[in-house]
Amino acid sequence: MFENWIFYAVALLVIIAAAYMIKKVASCMLKIIVFIVLLAALGAGYFYLS
């Protein structure tokens, strides 16, 4: 039983670490996508106004 408890504790820690890393990467990706969309909008606006 003790070995089972250790396995589940380690699995829980791995899941928490993976969720934290995915959250950080997703946050970074979201910022990059917003930046690219904003850059494209500014470029289109400059193209149409000039």
Side-chain angles (χ1 to χ4, degrees):
M1 180 177 168
F2 189 66
E3 294 156 2
N4 251 358
W5 181 84
I6 291 174
F7 172 75
Y8 286 117
V10 169
L12 183 63
L13 287 175
V14 167
I15 290 170
I16 291 171
Y20 180 75
M21 288 170 54
I22 289 170
K23 180 181 172 188
K24 287 290 183 188
V25 169
S27 171
C28 185
M29 284 293 230
L30 184 63
K31 289 176 186 173
I32 290 170
I33 291 170
V34 167
F35 176 72
I36 289 172
V37 168
L38 184 63
L39 197 62
L42 288 173
Y46 177 76
F47 179 73
Y48 285 118
L49 291 176
S50 64

